[in-house]
């Protein structure tokens, strides 16, 4: 299966590098457009599952938080590639970065968390996780959400939720510094916060030196396979971006739908991995995946989108609409309430899922 996946992915890369202009030139016809879209979508999602598989193998060898960190960073690299491809290709997608980040927050913090806690509650009644790890994530997610997605609506230097070049560069530096500091602590002195707690509530101890040394000899092949699955997605992202841009314009769909589709394409495998972890009563791994996805999306997409805007001269709108600010603020508040104890129940899941459905309704009926 691994060989077949890589063969299909790299064969598709070769086809689009050689004949991409011809294939994309047929986007005006409905059937060829649909076939090209399904082809690219299928290859990218299948390769994303390959990324998840290799990242999970690395997680088994490296332990937490390194395993989920590798997975979330790999997925966000794909997201940044897709968003960047659309922005550089369409030259008219000022809200795409904002819409994608907001969609990721809604899908992960409300959709996946809601479904996961409902499933976990049905199977295990209550589930335990490491409180310090969850609160550490939220302490980073809240400023990384509020500063780029709320604050531009209230600055006076520029209108309509945009930033000046100085503000964009300053916010990019701040975002990278904050997320970098979090990663340093997550993989350093605070790594115990992100491991599964034992029955007494203490985190599981790290693997021994011999286990780490033994697994280190097996890491490089999986890293190579991880990159081999990521690269086709990054290369094909430009072609998928062109198809998405054309399809949304042709159908007259809401502009926010582009960000939602990118978020769904990229994060579906990671969301499935999180739900599998919850089903196996590994809530801490699911927390690392969900909250880690939100933190890494904001920490890496915000500077990427802002810098693309600065260097290309494109306007980048980051400020959310008033309605979406209410939904985002409610999501942050609910997430804080959900992860202030050491156990979760079905009630929290139902509440998060309700907010997710409200988000979906407002996309098509704002």
């Amino acid at each position: 299966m691994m060989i077949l996946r890589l063969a299909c992915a790299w064969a598709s890369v070769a086809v689009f590098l050689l004949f991409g202009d011809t294939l994309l030139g047929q986007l005006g016809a409905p059937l060829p457009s649909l076939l090209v879209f399904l082809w690219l979508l299928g290859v990218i999602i299948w390769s994303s599952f390959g990324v998840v598989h290799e990242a999970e193998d690395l997680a088994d060898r490296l332990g937490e938080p390194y395993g989920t960190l590798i997975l979330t960073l790999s997925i966000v690299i794909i997201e940044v590639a897709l968003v960047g491809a659309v922005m550089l290709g369409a030259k008219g997608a000022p809200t795409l970065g904002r819409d994608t980040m907001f969609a990721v927050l809604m899908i992960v913090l409300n959709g996946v968390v809601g479904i996961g806690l409902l499933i976990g509650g049905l199977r295990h009644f209550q589930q335990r996780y490491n409180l310090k790890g969850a609160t550490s994530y939220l302490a980073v997610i809240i400023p990384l959400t509020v500063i780029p997605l709320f604050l531009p609506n209230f600055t006076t230097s520029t209108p309509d939720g945009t930033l000046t070049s100085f503000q964009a560069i300053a916010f990019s530096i701040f975002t990278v510094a904050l997320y970098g500091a979090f990663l340093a602590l997550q993989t350093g002195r605070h790594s115990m916060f992100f491991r599964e707690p034992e029955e007494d509530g203490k985190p599981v101890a790290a693997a021994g030196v011999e286990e780490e040394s033994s697994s280190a000899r097996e890491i490089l092949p999986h890293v190579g396979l991880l990159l081999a699955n990521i690269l086709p997605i990054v290369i094909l992202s430009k072609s998928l971006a062109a198809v998405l841009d054309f399809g949304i314009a042709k159908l007259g769909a809401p502009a926010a739908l582009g960000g939602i589709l990118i978020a769904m394409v990229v994060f579906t495998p990671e969301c499935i991995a999180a739900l599998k972890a919850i089903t196996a009563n590994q809530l801490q791994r699911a927390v690392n995946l969900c909250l880690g996805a939100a933190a890494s999306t904001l920490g890496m997409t915000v500077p990427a989108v802002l810098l693309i805007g600065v260097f290309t001269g494109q306007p980048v709108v980051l400020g959310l609409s008033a309605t979406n600010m209410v939904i985002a603020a409610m999501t942050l508040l609910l997430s804080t309430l959900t992860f202030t104890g050491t156990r979760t129940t079905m009630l929290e899941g139902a509440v998060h899922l309700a907010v997710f459905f409200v988000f979906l309704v407002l996309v098509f009926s704002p």
Side-chain angles (χ1 to χ4, degrees), residues 57-58 61 212-223:
D57 283 344
L58 286 171
R61 289 165 172 77
E212 292 180 358
S213 176
S214 175
S215 64
R217 292 192 293 268
E218 303 172 358
I219 288 174
L220 287 180
H222 290 283
V223 172

Side-chain angles (χ1 to χ4, degrees), residues 285-316:
R285 175 167 169 75
V287 168
N288 290 348
L289 286 169
C290 292
L291 298 186
S296 59
T297 293
L298 295 164
M300 295 175 65
T301 308
V302 168
V305 168
L306 289 176
L307 292 178
I308 288 175
V310 169
F311 288 115
T312 63
Q314 294 187 60
V316 174

